[in-house]
Amino acid sequence: MRPTIFVRMVIGYLAIFIPVVAVSAYAISQLGLFHRVTGDILQIDNRMRGYQQKLSDSFLAQIRHEKKYIIKKDNELHNQFILAEREVNKRIDEAMSIADTPHKREVLNRIKDYHGRYNSLFNEEVEFIKKKQPYLQDRYKEEKEKAVDDILWELRNLKLYTEQDTYEKIRHLGESGAKANKIATVMG
C-alpha cells in the first residue's frame, strides 16, 4: 500500500521542520551561553578589576600615612592610617565576595595575611614610639617593606588572574560562535 499524498506531505514537512527546530534550539542555547559568559565578564571580571584597583589605591594611601606618621609622629596621621586600614580590609572583603575562582580567593587570602602582618608591625612600632622606647627601626622598616612587596606582588597576580579568566571566557565565546556558525552553514 502506497502512502497517501497527505502522509508524504507530512513526512516532507517533518523532514524540513525537525532540522530547522534542532538548529533553532542550538542557536538559542548558544545565545544563552553568550549571555551567561558576557554577564560573567561584566559582573565579575570587570568588578574584580575595579576592586583590585581600589584595593591598590587604598593600600598605597595607607603606606603614605604610615610613612608620614613615622616621620611626624602626629596622631591625626595615625587616625588616617587606621581609616585607610579599614578601607583596605573592606576592599579585600568586597573582592573576596565576588571571587569566582580558587586562584583569586587564594591571592586575596594571601593579601589579607600580608596586610595583617604589615599592620601588626606598624602597631608594634607605634607602641614603641608612643612609649618613647628605643627599637630597631631598620628591622621594622625592612619587614614592613617585605610585607608591602608581597602585597603588591599579590595584587599584580590578582590582576593577571582576572585578565586570564576574561581571556579564557572570550576564547570560549569565540569557539562557541565558530561551532554555531559551522552548524548554521551546514544546515543552511
Side-chain angles (χ1 to χ4, degrees):
M1 172 163 103
R2 283 183 67 194
T4 64
I5 285 188
F6 177 72
V7 171
R8 285 186 282 175
M9 208 165 76
V10 168
I11 292 171
Y13 281 131
L14 285 176
I16 294 170
F17 181 72
I18 291 174
V20 167
V21 168
V23 168
S24 296
Y26 181 74
I28 289 170
S29 73
Q30 290 302 306
L31 287 174
L33 174 70
F34 274 49
H35 177 71
R36 282 190 306 278
V37 173
T38 55
D40 278 355
I41 290 170
L42 293 172
Q43 294 299 317
I44 296 172
D45 295 346
N46 284 346
R47 285 178 57 199
M48 185 61 80
R49 272 189 203 89
Y51 288 144
Q52 182 268 332
Q53 186 60 49
K54 289 176 183 176
L55 180 57
S56 296
D57 293 344
S58 298
F59 183 61
L60 293 174
Q62 186 180 9
I63 292 169
R64 275 193 312 275
H65 297 309
E66 176 254 333
K67 290 189 183 303
K68 287 179 182 178
Y69 177 80
I70 297 300
I71 293 169
K72 295 182 179 182
K73 295 164 182 55
D74 180 10
N75 283 333
E76 183 57 35
L77 292 170
H78 185 253
N79 291 338
Q80 289 177 350
F81 174 88
I82 292 170
L83 289 174
E85 176 185 358
R86 289 182 188 145
E87 184 71 20
V88 170
N89 288 328
K90 176 183 159 192
R91 298 293 180 201
I92 292 171
D93 291 341
E94 288 172 343
M96 191 73 81
S97 72
I98 65 163
D100 60 337
T101 64
H103 291 300
K104 290 177 190 173
R105 284 188 287 277
E106 289 170 11
V107 166
L108 288 165
N109 280 325
R110 285 192 299 267
I111 290 171
K112 193 172 200 166
D113 291 344
Y114 294 140
H115 186 248
R117 176 76 179 133
Y118 172 79
N119 290 328
S120 67
L121 287 166
F122 177 71
N123 290 331
E124 288 173 20
E125 196 171 14
V126 167
E127 288 302 312
F128 284 121
I129 290 171
K130 285 183 176 180
K131 293 177 181 178
K132 298 184 184 199
Q133 292 178 336
Y135 67 100
L136 300 173
Q137 289 179 342
D138 291 339
R139 183 188 138 243
Y140 278 93
K141 182 179 179 183
E142 187 177 303
E143 287 189 39
K144 286 187 298 185
E145 285 176 1
K146 169 85 170 96
V148 167
D149 290 344
D150 290 341
I151 291 169
L152 295 175
W153 178 259
E154 293 300 337
L155 285 169
R156 182 190 148 284
N157 287 341
L158 180 62
K159 182 179 180 181
L160 290 174
Y161 285 138
T162 302
E163 289 173 355
Q164 182 181 7
D165 288 347
T166 302
Y167 172 77
E168 286 299 317
K169 289 173 185 174
I170 291 171
R171 188 183 59 74
H172 183 67
L173 278 177
E175 290 171 358
S176 297
K179 287 180 195 173
N181 186 27
K182 195 180 289 184
I183 289 177
T185 302
V186 169
M187 295 306 291

